[in-house]
Amino acid sequence: MDIIVLRPDVTDEQIEKIVKKLEAKGLKPHISRGAERTIIGVIGDTSKVTEDEENAIRAIPGVEDVVRILKPYKLASRDFKKTDTVIQVDNTVIGGKRVHIAAGPCAVENRVTLLDIAEKVKASGATFLRGGAFKPRTSPYSFQGLGVEGLKYLKEAKERTGLPIISEIMDPRDIDVMLDYVDILQIGTRNMQNFKLLMEVGSVDKPVLLKRGMSATIKELLMAAEYILSRGNEKVILCERGIRTFETATRNTLDLSAVPLLKSVSHLPVAVDPSHGVGKRELVGPMAVAAVAAGADMLLIEVHTNPEEALSDGEQSLTPEQFKEVMKKVKAVAEAIGREV
Amino acid sequence: MDIIVLRPDVTDEQIEKIVKKLEAKGLKPHISRGAERTIIGVIGDTSKVTEDEENAIRAIPGVEDVVRILKPYKLASRDFKKTDTVIQVDNTVIGGKRVHIAAGPCAVENRVTLLDIAEKVKASGATFLRGGAFKPRTSPYSFQGLGVEGLKYLKEAKERTGLPIISEIMDPRDIDVMLDYVDILQIGTRNMQNFKLLMEVGSVDKPVLLKRGMSATIKELLMAAEYILSRGNEKVILCERGIRTFETATRNTLDLSAVPLLKSVSHLPVAVDPSHGVGKRELVGPMAVAAVAAGADMLLIEVHTNPEEALSDGEQSLTPEQFKEVMKKVKAVAEAIGREV
Amino acid sequence: MDIIVLRPDVTDEQIEKIVKKLEAKGLKPHISRGAERTIIGVIGDTSKVTEDEENAIRAIPGVEDVVRILKPYKLASRDFKKTDTVIQVDNTVIGGKRVHIAAGPCAVENRVTLLDIAEKVKASGATFLRGGAFKPRTSPYSFQGLGVEGLKYLKEAKERTGLPIISEIMDPRDIDVMLDYVDILQIGTRNMQNFKLLMEVGSVDKPVLLKRGMSATIKELLMAAEYILSRGNEKVILCERGIRTFETATRNTLDLSAVPLLKSVSHLPVAVDPSHGVGKRELVGPMAVAAVAAGADMLLIEVHTNPEEALSDGEQSLTPEQFKEVMKKVKAVAEAIGREV
Amino acid sequence: MDIIVLRPDVTDEQIEKIVKKLEAKGLKPHISRGAERTIIGVIGDTSKVTEDEENAIRAIPGVEDVVRILKPYKLASRDFKKTDTVIQVDNTVIGGKRVHIAAGPCAVENRVTLLDIAEKVKASGATFLRGGAFKPRTSPYSFQGLGVEGLKYLKEAKERTGLPIISEIMDPRDIDVMLDYVDILQIGTRNMQNFKLLMEVGSVDKPVLLKRGMSATIKELLMAAEYILSRGNEKVILCERGIRTFETATRNTLDLSAVPLLKSVSHLPVAVDPSHGVGKRELVGPMAVAAVAAGADMLLIEVHTNPEEALSDGEQSLTPEQFKEVMKKVKAVAEAIGREV
């Protein structure tokens, strides 16, 4: 049931217009005239009323507000699927008892460095390798990634270490080549509402790590997931990576409350990227640990053997030694709350 | 000149490493040891230092901060080009004395309605027709636009009214068909940092209306324009359309101060979209007038002959009669500040 | 009528508990069991349900959400009082056809400078003199204002120019001395929710200019006004002065849409402070003009004869010459929309 | 050293004016003329330059920007005091190895309920009792607290349980009565920049828990602490309690990255209030645990024996049973990172 709140000056004609619209959708309006406001309760399956139809009702001059009771996402909701979604990648699963750690450089820069990083993060307990071959950069003058060459290095790193690969797709035209090389397709924060791209990854059989837009609400994140799910791809991992706020002391504000919130309203696994979330190396460790404590199923951590020479995000990358220390605390906290790394 | 601020515990080795990096770029470091902090002034053409190289310097443990003096955008800046950019479309120009009004429906819904709206907004003084054929929608269940069919109706509306067409491009694969039908390519707020799309529209000879991302800073908007300009397309119109803030009483917060600010730091024309900026029909008029007073070169206003039946954004669309009234005030204010409509 | 949305797993006991709470308030619950959610419509005078009682209902485990239909403010609302509130100060009124301009220095610094500024702004058409004697400063090391000495200079400036005085009160203990010297008590942005101070100014017979908190919603601003109104002081002027957002290119983001919005939901006059809103001198003029176009009843503009020597806010202060130029445009735009300055 | 960036059109006269201002402060200007910008490096003890003097320099037309290298807070900074501040309260300390838990009702409602809650939270391991006697409420129609009567109940609860008391002070006129009854004075989020109140609590010998304003930056929080410290009171506990963002699914966005950040730039202990931070009972537990993992020295958790009857904040209060469960996880995680509860 939804509620339509009417203005004090609503006319009978306007009410009639609303009633007709509702009845045309097979819904039953129930009018309550109060002392200060008249409202219309809408009885029936209101999930059939689209956002567009809702807005059309709002557009009637006598309408003050329309209150929707049901959530606008369906397939992504816990109401739709009660049990946690568990996503198989190679011989492991995401969304179970194990907390996964995806580590690696922001961008793939060259073969030797990547292989070196991959082996080191594997040795410290990472279970996935992350690295960008196509890089979304604020400036057209910044390094834009190695492209397919980078994907090849990632595949070689997987062959050596066994770590499955997470890498970002930026262009719907790259879908085929990405499928050949990566295990999890990442949708970056700037593309969370690139609906054409969402449709594309929704049509393939490959897990998608969907990063929250830097100014996206929880609801919008779930609507973006819904785009993917509604196309048939059920393997979506939601990822909190910091939102944009007034605070400039950190790169973004990592919203860890999104973790338990998402897990309560949705059945999808939830990842956290503390590296982009804070943007400062010395804060990555404490926030990685806190993310696990908050219930994250996966962490994405930037690691570089030589952050001072990194082609992107050197400022927030851990060295392999720092990563090793962080992993110790991550493990200890995971075990303290009954999980494992 | 840029400045590198060092931590109190910086080592001589770290300073030497920075000095070498700078000298390798042909820059001259000037070290000043103060009571509380040592800093390095960087002398020479620091515009050669990319954001990536800056971050690599930040990644050196002894570095506390790097302060860039120069703006990261060049071609978009008033420093680069002193005179206002004026963009010719058919037989009119954007960025001159005339304030342009682009009016029309949020989405093209059908041929008859579009032609009707086009004629009515033309009669009230609109100088462009706006309307979406490809629609970015938060929900996968909402109306996604008529596609090419919509473009055809837009072209027919132009043939009848003479109004040039502004319409949104969402997918780089649509560039060729868009070029056939529209006069100004619109990049929507959700795609302001869809860099692949920016590159695509940067490579054609057609004006681009670039909407500010809903959480984009002024600097990021200009960097997005830089992507287009750096590919060779100099016809960029910047568009303020409301930013996302904590306030929920309006759909967005229309940042009108962006208008004089953009015009002071950039030479590009500036448009304002009060319809999306506020999302409430009764506020559109006052904000349209205020935008002109603030110095806007163009307004985008949603008009629908029957907002209550609109397939999208009915809530914020003006009726043709309301649009006519708004136009009267817009004209009066434009003249009061020495412009014309 | 309000609506209580229940969780799918709500128990009969929980529903019964809610029903009893409502009936104890003399309200009639109307339960509708839908396919996906059960809701309770609350019939009767729900304005008797306080926010605390609403929260207590939310605290019942089976409750998903409580949707209030009525606004939480009453005396400040247009529903309560249909006609515009007009506030008399000396021989003029705020809230009528005339747009008032309150100009002056951020802080009163010394007698000679203040008198000089007062005479110059008067000559250019200002109708009020603004200036701080008690200054809220972010840093304990900044100039904190002249205190009572500053108030005396303000009074002398009024005697010379006839301009009524607006000045800020920061401490409830200063109420008596402020009443002796000023014509409008200003509540600053940092004190918008200093409820003890609001109660104090609500108990006197003197107009209050209430600045919006830098992160206050429109609703919270009106609730703060309600504190003053509910104590008996009906002379409240609401003031938009910029809100805090992620954008750092301006000091704040001036939310001009707040002007028409406040005037539609409330009967109180609305002022705008473009100086604090943008924080950059060259943007003050365009935004002052835009504020008038948006419908403001009053402007607050910082003017200083020598901004480079100002003890506070020099960066955003206009010189008297600049103020004079801005006033010309303000007048032209005011007349264009049927008002006068 | 600070840097003054000049506009391309700066005149020699303007430069001379700046040089004189600097020399008058005993500082040595060092002018570097670059290809695109001239800058002035300021050598000497620039901490003597106040924010007001900085703004006066900005007000000179030829000045584009002023870049301060030193932080505006001193006494609160880690530069000023290297070792962690440890605050003694009764026979325990805040800021050491032990993580403290302050639990209790949002508001003190009556004697019996308070004593009951106090005993229950004590039994589960709480080390402080929190509860408001003076309540800042958004609405003038909400419960405003019991006042001194509430303070008396708090004192009685301490006598029974031994738990020291944390309670909020809202009005500088209440300082004496608060000193008689409470062990830690709380400054609430809405009063973080109530400078008169900060001065008042800065002049007494009693620990102050300073809550971050809901839209305050880290820097502003430390400047507010500086107000207290500069008056002589060195016992300040900083408290993160959620900031205001665009996200409405939670009451605020709890910024846990503030914890390690504050601990790196300041020597003061850091508390976290997950109850206000998220505003939803089911999220309080995970965020309490995450706060400890992030390094918090103290937690503030709202507990009520009967949240459904609470006079305020029932929605976010834990029951004693829920609190007990949360405490188990808090202890486990504290131990996992080498601390104790």
Side-chain angles (χ1 to χ4, degrees), chain A residues 17 21 52 137 141 215 220 226-227 244 308 311, chain B residues 17 52 137 141 215 220 226-227 244 308 311:
Chain A
K17 192 181 286 182
K21 270 178 186 279
D52 294 327
R137 304 306 304 274
Y141 309 120
S215 68
E220 288 168 337
E226 191 84 6
Y227 259 92
R244 180 157 277 185
E308 302 152 25
L311 291 183
Chain B
K17 192 180 286 181
D52 294 328
R137 304 306 303 274
Y141 310 119
S215 67
E220 288 169 338
E226 192 84 7
Y227 259 91
R244 178 157 278 184
E308 301 153 27
L311 291 183

PDB file of all heavy atoms in Angstrom, chain A residues 17 21 52 137 141 215 220 226-227 244 308 311, chain B residues 17 52 137 141 215 220 226-227 244 308 311:
ATOM      1  N   LYS A  17      -9.240  12.409 -10.837  1.00  0.00           N
ATOM      2  CA  LYS A  17      -8.202  12.057 -11.797  1.00  0.00           C
ATOM      3  C   LYS A  17      -7.240  10.999 -11.209  1.00  0.00           C
ATOM      4  O   LYS A  17      -6.870  10.038 -11.878  1.00  0.00           O
ATOM      5  CB  LYS A  17      -7.416  13.325 -12.162  1.00  0.00           C
ATOM      6  CG  LYS A  17      -6.514  13.167 -13.354  1.00  0.00           C
ATOM      7  CD  LYS A  17      -5.750  14.460 -13.646  1.00  0.00           C
ATOM      8  CE  LYS A  17      -6.630  15.529 -14.267  1.00  0.00           C
ATOM      9  NZ  LYS A  17      -5.870  16.770 -14.587  1.00  0.00           N
ATOM     10  N   LYS A  21      -6.627   7.007 -12.376  1.00  0.00           N
ATOM     11  CA  LYS A  21      -5.297   6.481 -12.671  1.00  0.00           C
ATOM     12  C   LYS A  21      -5.040   5.191 -11.889  1.00  0.00           C
ATOM     13  O   LYS A  21      -4.499   4.222 -12.410  1.00  0.00           O
ATOM     14  CB  LYS A  21      -4.212   7.487 -12.260  1.00  0.00           C
ATOM     15  CG  LYS A  21      -3.818   8.481 -13.358  1.00  0.00           C
ATOM     16  CD  LYS A  21      -2.769   9.456 -12.788  1.00  0.00           C
ATOM     17  CE  LYS A  21      -2.444  10.555 -13.779  1.00  0.00           C
ATOM     18  NZ  LYS A  21      -1.480  10.107 -14.805  1.00  0.00           N
ATOM     19  N   ASP A  52       7.840   6.330 -12.873  1.00  0.00           N
ATOM     20  CA  ASP A  52       7.298   7.317 -13.800  1.00  0.00           C
ATOM     21  C   ASP A  52       5.837   7.614 -13.487  1.00  0.00           C
ATOM     22  O   ASP A  52       5.396   8.763 -13.504  1.00  0.00           O
ATOM     23  CB  ASP A  52       7.437   6.817 -15.247  1.00  0.00           C
ATOM     24  CG  ASP A  52       8.902   6.706 -15.651  1.00  0.00           C
ATOM     25  OD1 ASP A  52       9.708   7.514 -15.167  1.00  0.00           O
ATOM     26  OD2 ASP A  52       9.222   5.805 -16.453  1.00  0.00           O
ATOM     27  N   ARG A 137      40.523   8.123 -15.187  1.00  0.00           N
ATOM     28  CA  ARG A 137      41.349   9.157 -14.550  1.00  0.00           C
ATOM     29  C   ARG A 137      40.704  10.523 -14.685  1.00  0.00           C
ATOM     30  O   ARG A 137      40.261  10.890 -15.783  1.00  0.00           O
ATOM     31  CB  ARG A 137      42.746   9.183 -15.193  1.00  0.00           C
ATOM     32  CG  ARG A 137      43.480   7.832 -15.150  1.00  0.00           C
ATOM     33  CD  ARG A 137      43.576   7.242 -13.738  1.00  0.00           C
ATOM     34  NE  ARG A 137      44.207   8.134 -12.797  1.00  0.00           N
ATOM     35  CZ  ARG A 137      45.521   8.221 -12.613  1.00  0.00           C
ATOM     36  NH1 ARG A 137      46.337   7.448 -13.292  1.00  0.00           N
ATOM     37  NH2 ARG A 137      46.011   9.072 -11.744  1.00  0.00           N
ATOM     38  N   TYR A 141      45.378  13.987 -18.875  1.00  0.00           N
ATOM     39  CA  TYR A 141      46.832  13.949 -19.002  1.00  0.00           C
ATOM     40  C   TYR A 141      47.469  12.879 -18.106  1.00  0.00           C
ATOM     41  O   TYR A 141      48.674  12.733 -18.067  1.00  0.00           O
ATOM     42  CB  TYR A 141      47.420  15.329 -18.669  1.00  0.00           C
ATOM     43  CG  TYR A 141      46.741  16.444 -19.445  1.00  0.00           C
ATOM     44  CD1 TYR A 141      46.084  17.470 -18.800  1.00  0.00           C
ATOM     45  CD2 TYR A 141      46.728  16.420 -20.851  1.00  0.00           C
ATOM     46  CE1 TYR A 141      45.439  18.485 -19.518  1.00  0.00           C
ATOM     47  CE2 TYR A 141      46.077  17.423 -21.570  1.00  0.00           C
ATOM     48  CZ  TYR A 141      45.436  18.445 -20.899  1.00  0.00           C
ATOM     49  OH  TYR A 141      44.792  19.424 -21.608  1.00  0.00           O
ATOM     50  N   SER A 215      28.661   9.511  -4.736  1.00  0.00           N
ATOM     51  CA  SER A 215      27.556  10.225  -4.100  1.00  0.00           C
ATOM     52  C   SER A 215      26.261   9.450  -4.222  1.00  0.00           C
ATOM     53  O   SER A 215      25.183  10.026  -4.247  1.00  0.00           O
ATOM     54  CB  SER A 215      27.398  11.617  -4.706  1.00  0.00           C
ATOM     55  OG  SER A 215      26.950  11.509  -6.034  1.00  0.00           O
ATOM     56  N   GLU A 220      20.245   3.785  -4.264  1.00  0.00           N
ATOM     57  CA  GLU A 220      20.710   3.863  -5.654  1.00  0.00           C
ATOM     58  C   GLU A 220      21.709   2.750  -5.972  1.00  0.00           C
ATOM     59  O   GLU A 220      21.737   2.225  -7.090  1.00  0.00           O
ATOM     60  CB  GLU A 220      21.345   5.225  -5.922  1.00  0.00           C
ATOM     61  CG  GLU A 220      20.320   6.343  -5.989  1.00  0.00           C
ATOM     62  CD  GLU A 220      20.938   7.730  -5.976  1.00  0.00           C
ATOM     63  OE1 GLU A 220      22.085   7.870  -5.499  1.00  0.00           O
ATOM     64  OE2 GLU A 220      20.274   8.675  -6.416  1.00  0.00           O
ATOM     65  N   GLU A 226      20.222  -3.880  -9.232  1.00  0.00           N
ATOM     66  CA  GLU A 226      18.985  -4.394  -9.831  1.00  0.00           C
ATOM     67  C   GLU A 226      19.083  -4.412 -11.366  1.00  0.00           C
ATOM     68  O   GLU A 226      18.554  -5.323 -12.014  1.00  0.00           O
ATOM     69  CB  GLU A 226      17.815  -3.497  -9.384  1.00  0.00           C
ATOM     70  CG  GLU A 226      16.450  -4.048  -9.700  1.00  0.00           C
ATOM     71  CD  GLU A 226      15.933  -5.032  -8.647  1.00  0.00           C
ATOM     72  OE1 GLU A 226      16.576  -5.213  -7.603  1.00  0.00           O
ATOM     73  OE2 GLU A 226      14.875  -5.642  -8.899  1.00  0.00           O
ATOM     74  N   TYR A 227      19.754  -3.398 -11.936  1.00  0.00           N
ATOM     75  CA  TYR A 227      19.973  -3.387 -13.393  1.00  0.00           C
ATOM     76  C   TYR A 227      20.683  -4.665 -13.835  1.00  0.00           C
ATOM     77  O   TYR A 227      20.338  -5.287 -14.838  1.00  0.00           O
ATOM     78  CB  TYR A 227      20.846  -2.187 -13.802  1.00  0.00           C
ATOM     79  CG  TYR A 227      20.093  -1.023 -14.390  1.00  0.00           C
ATOM     80  CD1 TYR A 227      19.659   0.008 -13.568  1.00  0.00           C
ATOM     81  CD2 TYR A 227      19.821  -0.939 -15.758  1.00  0.00           C
ATOM     82  CE1 TYR A 227      18.965   1.098 -14.089  1.00  0.00           C
ATOM     83  CE2 TYR A 227      19.135   0.150 -16.289  1.00  0.00           C
ATOM     84  CZ  TYR A 227      18.707   1.171 -15.459  1.00  0.00           C
ATOM     85  OH  TYR A 227      18.031   2.234 -15.976  1.00  0.00           O
ATOM     86  N   ARG A 244      31.393  10.890  -0.922  1.00  0.00           N
ATOM     87  CA  ARG A 244      31.875  12.275  -0.938  1.00  0.00           C
ATOM     88  C   ARG A 244      31.120  13.095   0.112  1.00  0.00           C
ATOM     89  O   ARG A 244      29.898  13.138   0.097  1.00  0.00           O
ATOM     90  CB  ARG A 244      31.657  12.862  -2.323  1.00  0.00           C
ATOM     91  CG  ARG A 244      32.120  14.288  -2.426  1.00  0.00           C
ATOM     92  CD  ARG A 244      32.432  14.680  -3.837  1.00  0.00           C
ATOM     93  NE  ARG A 244      33.769  14.272  -4.216  1.00  0.00           N
ATOM     94  CZ  ARG A 244      34.342  14.580  -5.382  1.00  0.00           C
ATOM     95  NH1 ARG A 244      33.677  15.284  -6.271  1.00  0.00           N
ATOM     96  NH2 ARG A 244      35.558  14.173  -5.656  1.00  0.00           N
ATOM     97  N   GLU A 308      56.350   4.856  -4.212  1.00  0.00           N
ATOM     98  CA  GLU A 308      56.919   6.137  -4.634  1.00  0.00           C
ATOM     99  C   GLU A 308      57.147   6.198  -6.146  1.00  0.00           C
ATOM    100  O   GLU A 308      57.437   7.252  -6.688  1.00  0.00           O
ATOM    101  CB  GLU A 308      58.235   6.379  -3.899  1.00  0.00           C
ATOM    102  CG  GLU A 308      58.029   6.364  -2.397  1.00  0.00           C
ATOM    103  CD  GLU A 308      59.271   5.934  -1.639  1.00  0.00           C
ATOM    104  OE1 GLU A 308      60.383   6.100  -2.186  1.00  0.00           O
ATOM    105  OE2 GLU A 308      59.133   5.433  -0.511  1.00  0.00           O
ATOM    106  N   LEU A 311      52.410   4.494 -10.774  1.00  0.00           N
ATOM    107  CA  LEU A 311      51.856   5.406 -11.776  1.00  0.00           C
ATOM    108  C   LEU A 311      50.512   5.968 -11.355  1.00  0.00           C
ATOM    109  O   LEU A 311      50.014   6.908 -11.946  1.00  0.00           O
ATOM    110  CB  LEU A 311      51.749   4.704 -13.129  1.00  0.00           C
ATOM    111  CG  LEU A 311      53.090   4.393 -13.790  1.00  0.00           C
ATOM    112  CD1 LEU A 311      52.877   3.767 -15.150  1.00  0.00           C
ATOM    113  CD2 LEU A 311      53.926   5.662 -13.933  1.00  0.00           C
TER     114      LEU A 311
ATOM    115  N   LYS B  17      65.850  11.866  -2.528  1.00  0.00           N
ATOM    116  CA  LYS B  17      65.010  11.153  -3.490  1.00  0.00           C
ATOM    117  C   LYS B  17      64.069  12.124  -4.229  1.00  0.00           C
ATOM    118  O   LYS B  17      63.878  12.042  -5.446  1.00  0.00           O
ATOM    119  CB  LYS B  17      64.186  10.097  -2.737  1.00  0.00           C
ATOM    120  CG  LYS B  17      63.495   9.109  -3.632  1.00  0.00           C
ATOM    121  CD  LYS B  17      62.687   8.083  -2.832  1.00  0.00           C
ATOM    122  CE  LYS B  17      63.572   7.051  -2.139  1.00  0.00           C
ATOM    123  NZ  LYS B  17      62.759   6.060  -1.380  1.00  0.00           N
ATOM    124  N   ASP B  52      49.898  11.911 -11.469  1.00  0.00           N
ATOM    125  CA  ASP B  52      50.492  10.648 -11.039  1.00  0.00           C
ATOM    126  C   ASP B  52      51.854  10.875 -10.390  1.00  0.00           C
ATOM    127  O   ASP B  52      52.185  10.275  -9.368  1.00  0.00           O
ATOM    128  CB  ASP B  52      50.637   9.702 -12.230  1.00  0.00           C
ATOM    129  CG  ASP B  52      49.283   9.287 -12.780  1.00  0.00           C
ATOM    130  OD1 ASP B  52      48.334   9.198 -11.967  1.00  0.00           O
ATOM    131  OD2 ASP B  52      49.176   9.058 -13.985  1.00  0.00           O
ATOM    132  N   ARG B 137      18.011   6.103 -16.473  1.00  0.00           N
ATOM    133  CA  ARG B 137      17.000   6.002 -15.423  1.00  0.00           C
ATOM    134  C   ARG B 137      17.529   5.204 -14.245  1.00  0.00           C
ATOM    135  O   ARG B 137      18.098   4.125 -14.427  1.00  0.00           O
ATOM    136  CB  ARG B 137      15.733   5.338 -15.969  1.00  0.00           C
ATOM    137  CG  ARG B 137      15.122   6.027 -17.196  1.00  0.00           C
ATOM    138  CD  ARG B 137      14.860   7.516 -16.978  1.00  0.00           C
ATOM    139  NE  ARG B 137      14.002   7.768 -15.839  1.00  0.00           N
ATOM    140  CZ  ARG B 137      12.670   7.768 -15.885  1.00  0.00           C
ATOM    141  NH1 ARG B 137      12.051   7.537 -17.042  1.00  0.00           N
ATOM    142  NH2 ARG B 137      11.954   7.998 -14.815  1.00  0.00           N
ATOM    143  N   TYR B 141      13.297  -0.597 -14.318  1.00  0.00           N
ATOM    144  CA  TYR B 141      11.901  -0.811 -14.656  1.00  0.00           C
ATOM    145  C   TYR B 141      11.236   0.458 -15.194  1.00  0.00           C
ATOM    146  O   TYR B 141      10.048   0.453 -15.487  1.00  0.00           O
ATOM    147  CB  TYR B 141      11.146  -1.343 -13.432  1.00  0.00           C
ATOM    148  CG  TYR B 141      11.838  -2.524 -12.793  1.00  0.00           C
ATOM    149  CD1 TYR B 141      12.285  -2.473 -11.479  1.00  0.00           C
ATOM    150  CD2 TYR B 141      12.086  -3.691 -13.523  1.00  0.00           C
ATOM    151  CE1 TYR B 141      12.942  -3.555 -10.897  1.00  0.00           C
ATOM    152  CE2 TYR B 141      12.741  -4.778 -12.954  1.00  0.00           C
ATOM    153  CZ  TYR B 141      13.172  -4.698 -11.645  1.00  0.00           C
ATOM    154  OH  TYR B 141      13.825  -5.761 -11.077  1.00  0.00           O
ATOM    155  N   SER B 215      27.794  15.135  -7.938  1.00  0.00           N
ATOM    156  CA  SER B 215      28.709  15.381  -6.817  1.00  0.00           C
ATOM    157  C   SER B 215      30.071  15.823  -7.335  1.00  0.00           C
ATOM    158  O   SER B 215      31.086  15.599  -6.680  1.00  0.00           O
ATOM    159  CB  SER B 215      28.855  14.128  -5.956  1.00  0.00           C
ATOM    160  OG  SER B 215      29.520  13.126  -6.680  1.00  0.00           O
ATOM    161  N   GLU B 220      36.504  19.395 -11.097  1.00  0.00           N
ATOM    162  CA  GLU B 220      36.259  18.153 -11.842  1.00  0.00           C
ATOM    163  C   GLU B 220      35.438  18.397 -13.100  1.00  0.00           C
ATOM    164  O   GLU B 220      35.640  17.739 -14.125  1.00  0.00           O
ATOM    165  CB  GLU B 220      35.553  17.133 -10.940  1.00  0.00           C
ATOM    166  CG  GLU B 220      36.472  16.559  -9.875  1.00  0.00           C
ATOM    167  CD  GLU B 220      35.747  15.761  -8.820  1.00  0.00           C
ATOM    168  OE1 GLU B 220      34.526  15.985  -8.651  1.00  0.00           O
ATOM    169  OE2 GLU B 220      36.379  14.938  -8.142  1.00  0.00           O
ATOM    170  N   GLU B 226      38.047  19.398 -20.106  1.00  0.00           N
ATOM    171  CA  GLU B 226      39.404  19.277 -20.650  1.00  0.00           C
ATOM    172  C   GLU B 226      39.550  17.998 -21.484  1.00  0.00           C
ATOM    173  O   GLU B 226      40.258  17.983 -22.494  1.00  0.00           O
ATOM    174  CB  GLU B 226      40.401  19.280 -19.472  1.00  0.00           C
ATOM    175  CG  GLU B 226      41.846  19.443 -19.857  1.00  0.00           C
ATOM    176  CD  GLU B 226      42.259  20.892 -20.057  1.00  0.00           C
ATOM    177  OE1 GLU B 226      41.468  21.815 -19.782  1.00  0.00           O
ATOM    178  OE2 GLU B 226      43.394  21.113 -20.525  1.00  0.00           O
ATOM    179  N   TYR B 227      38.892  16.920 -21.049  1.00  0.00           N
ATOM    180  CA  TYR B 227      38.920  15.674 -21.841  1.00  0.00           C
ATOM    181  C   TYR B 227      38.402  15.927 -23.256  1.00  0.00           C
ATOM    182  O   TYR B 227      38.957  15.453 -24.240  1.00  0.00           O
ATOM    183  CB  TYR B 227      38.014  14.606 -21.196  1.00  0.00           C
ATOM    184  CG  TYR B 227      38.745  13.557 -20.388  1.00  0.00           C
ATOM    185  CD1 TYR B 227      38.960  13.720 -19.039  1.00  0.00           C
ATOM    186  CD2 TYR B 227      39.222  12.381 -20.984  1.00  0.00           C
ATOM    187  CE1 TYR B 227      39.631  12.765 -18.276  1.00  0.00           C
ATOM    188  CE2 TYR B 227      39.887  11.411 -20.236  1.00  0.00           C
ATOM    189  CZ  TYR B 227      40.095  11.606 -18.891  1.00  0.00           C
ATOM    190  OH  TYR B 227      40.750  10.656 -18.163  1.00  0.00           O
ATOM    191  N   ARG B 244      24.372  17.336  -5.217  1.00  0.00           N
ATOM    192  CA  ARG B 244      23.768  16.535  -4.156  1.00  0.00           C
ATOM    193  C   ARG B 244      24.275  17.023  -2.804  1.00  0.00           C
ATOM    194  O   ARG B 244      25.482  17.083  -2.564  1.00  0.00           O
ATOM    195  CB  ARG B 244      24.150  15.075  -4.352  1.00  0.00           C
ATOM    196  CG  ARG B 244      23.598  14.188  -3.277  1.00  0.00           C
ATOM    197  CD  ARG B 244      23.481  12.763  -3.721  1.00  0.00           C
ATOM    198  NE  ARG B 244      22.258  12.544  -4.485  1.00  0.00           N
ATOM    199  CZ  ARG B 244      21.872  11.355  -4.930  1.00  0.00           C
ATOM    200  NH1 ARG B 244      22.612  10.293  -4.717  1.00  0.00           N
ATOM    201  NH2 ARG B 244      20.746  11.229  -5.598  1.00  0.00           N
ATOM    202  N   GLU B 308       0.962  15.612 -16.050  1.00  0.00           N
ATOM    203  CA  GLU B 308       0.361  14.506 -15.290  1.00  0.00           C
ATOM    204  C   GLU B 308       0.377  13.199 -16.081  1.00  0.00           C
ATOM    205  O   GLU B 308       0.097  12.143 -15.545  1.00  0.00           O
ATOM    206  CB  GLU B 308      -1.074  14.877 -14.923  1.00  0.00           C
ATOM    207  CG  GLU B 308      -1.108  16.146 -14.094  1.00  0.00           C
ATOM    208  CD  GLU B 308      -2.412  16.901 -14.252  1.00  0.00           C
ATOM    209  OE1 GLU B 308      -3.432  16.253 -14.560  1.00  0.00           O
ATOM    210  OE2 GLU B 308      -2.412  18.137 -14.076  1.00  0.00           O
ATOM    211  N   LEU B 311       5.916  10.668 -19.161  1.00  0.00           N
ATOM    212  CA  LEU B 311       6.544   9.387 -18.833  1.00  0.00           C
ATOM    213  C   LEU B 311       7.751   9.562 -17.931  1.00  0.00           C
ATOM    214  O   LEU B 311       8.264   8.599 -17.392  1.00  0.00           O
ATOM    215  CB  LEU B 311       6.934   8.643 -20.119  1.00  0.00           C
ATOM    216  CG  LEU B 311       5.748   8.134 -20.931  1.00  0.00           C
ATOM    217  CD1 LEU B 311       6.239   7.346 -22.137  1.00  0.00           C
ATOM    218  CD2 LEU B 311       4.854   7.245 -20.078  1.00  0.00           C
TER     219      LEU B 311
END
